[in-house]
Amino acid sequence: MKPFYRNFLYVVLLLSILGACACKYPGGKKYTSPKGYDFTKPDKFNMPSSLLEISGIAFYKGNSDTVYSIQDEDGKLFRQGWDVKKQHNMKFAPKGDYEDLAIFHERVFVLKSNGSIYSFPFSETVKEESDQVRERKKLLPKGEYEGMYADPETSKLYVLCKSCPQDKKTKQLTGYVFDYNAATDSLTGPVTFSVDLNQIKALNPKLKASLSPSALAKNPATKEWYILSSANKLLLVADANWKITAAHRLSSTTFNQPEGIAFDNKLNLFISNEGDEINDGNIIKFRYLPAKKK
């Protein structure tokens, strides 16, 4: 056999093997989707180059016609219409590692990886730069943070550790809850909670009891927590008491680098993916699928 054809067949064989490996879990299990969603049917919205490294996403009062987002290098809040690449942005801070975004009670909150929290009035989002930004430092212990969620019903702000010293030798994640007073623009607390990662292995023995969360959201209908991990390519679902009830492996074909998660007021689920040298950053929408009546 000539070298050219031999090499060609080798490449074809290698690609077929890699393709087979990419579509199944270890042990032959297929990828799964959380109840009410079908992860095999994404509606993908590619981002402009300015949002190649998109991280957190959020909606104002659940309205997904306009997407608010941040990226993890520039201290800018971006806004754009759904499926409209042209974006506007407002500078709120210098360059830094900004990881998650939340909007409630007419204020925008941005989480920096070191645990600092920036906030400013929502009305400032139409400007090019704001002089009403408040930076809250040392609210959280030393660590790395990427997941934050603001609950408008309870006026609580949740932050989840990605990598914190107290979790290094344990199979758990530590989280923090602040009470927000909109009248005084003040955060009090925090109260701590923990997520037992041994529950992951109990659900699927092939998975490790470890997690590096990249985003956090609450399903408005079921009140379940959705914990996203880019590093682990996992989406965990937990009940109101942080008991993990499901662990969904994510296909790297669809979820290149999942960094942000949000629900809209129609219960549609959105996940943002950071891009790379080959892929654009994107936001993927999964329409809510109500259970069929029997």
Side-chain angles (χ1 to χ4, degrees), residues 89-281:
N89 59 77
M90 187 277 284
K91 184 177 180 180
F92 64 85
K95 287 184 177 294
D97 192 4
Y98 303 100
E99 296 294 349
D100 214 349
L101 173 67
I103 303 172
F104 77 158
H105 296 313
E106 301 301 317
R107 289 193 76 84
V108 179
F109 292 82
V110 178
L111 175 67
K112 199 173 183 179
S113 62
N114 65 1
S116 292
I117 296 176
Y118 294 76
S119 67
F120 47 89
F122 178 77
S123 57
E124 296 287 289
T125 60
V126 297
K127 299 180 179 181
E128 292 186 0
E129 189 168 355
S130 176
D131 59 0
Q132 297 188 46
V133 179
R134 181 175 180 181
E135 180 184 4
R136 295 174 169 90
K137 298 181 179 181
K138 298 182 179 180
L139 286 177
L140 296 160
K142 185 177 180 180
E144 185 179 359
Y145 302 87
E146 287 195 7
M148 179 177 66
Y149 175 75
D151 192 336
E153 294 183 3
T154 62
S155 297
K156 294 182 183 297
L157 189 72
Y158 295 80
V159 179
L160 194 58
C161 275
K162 179 183 180 181
S163 178
C164 291
Q166 66 270 29
D167 296 337
K168 289 290 186 182
K169 296 181 179 180
T170 65
K171 299 293 184 182
Q172 70 171 32
L173 289 176
T174 300
Y176 300 89
V177 188
F178 297 90
D179 286 302
Y180 179 65
N181 187 320
T184 59
D185 184 31
S186 60
L187 290 171
T188 55
V191 174
T192 62
F193 65 90
S194 63
V195 182
D196 181 5
L197 298 179
N198 287 304
Q199 298 169 18
I200 299 175
K201 204 167 184 64
L203 290 168
N204 185 344
K206 295 184 180 295
L207 298 177
K208 294 181 180 180
S210 62
L211 196 75
S212 298
S214 53
L216 176 68
K218 181 190 275 188
N219 184 314
T222 66
K223 309 305 179 185
E224 292 173 307
W225 291 103
Y226 280 48
I227 305 171
L228 185 67
S229 174
S230 178
N232 302 87
K233 286 292 191 292
L234 275 178
L235 174 65
L236 301 183
V237 179
D239 65 16
N241 297 314
W242 300 99
K243 179 182 178 182
I244 300 172
T245 57
H248 301 282
R249 291 289 300 273
L250 302 177
S251 166
S252 58
T253 303
T254 303
F255 303 94
N256 182 56
Q257 190 172 330
E259 298 282 349
I261 186 169
F263 292 89
D264 68 9
N265 52 21
K266 296 179 181 178
L267 301 182
N268 298 312
L269 174 61
F270 298 76
I271 293 177
S272 57
N273 289 278
E274 187 174 316
D276 53 28
E277 294 82 0
I278 300 174
N279 302 290
D280 292 328

Side-chain angles (χ1 to χ4, degrees), residues 35 288-294:
K35 187 176 180 180
Y288 172 62
L289 306 171
K292 295 181 180 179
K293 296 182 179 179
K294 296 181 179 180

Side-chain angles (χ1 to χ4, degrees), residues 31-67:
Y31 298 111
T32 57
S33 306
K35 187 176 180 180
Y37 304 94
D38 185 351
F39 280 1
T40 68
K41 297 180 179 179
D43 180 4
K44 185 164 70 172
F45 173 21
N46 285 329
M47 294 291 102
S49 58
S50 55
L51 283 164
L52 175 69
E53 298 194 30
I54 186 171
S55 48
I57 55 174
F59 304 119
Y60 175 66
K61 295 185 177 179
N63 182 2
S64 56
D65 290 344
T66 300
V67 181

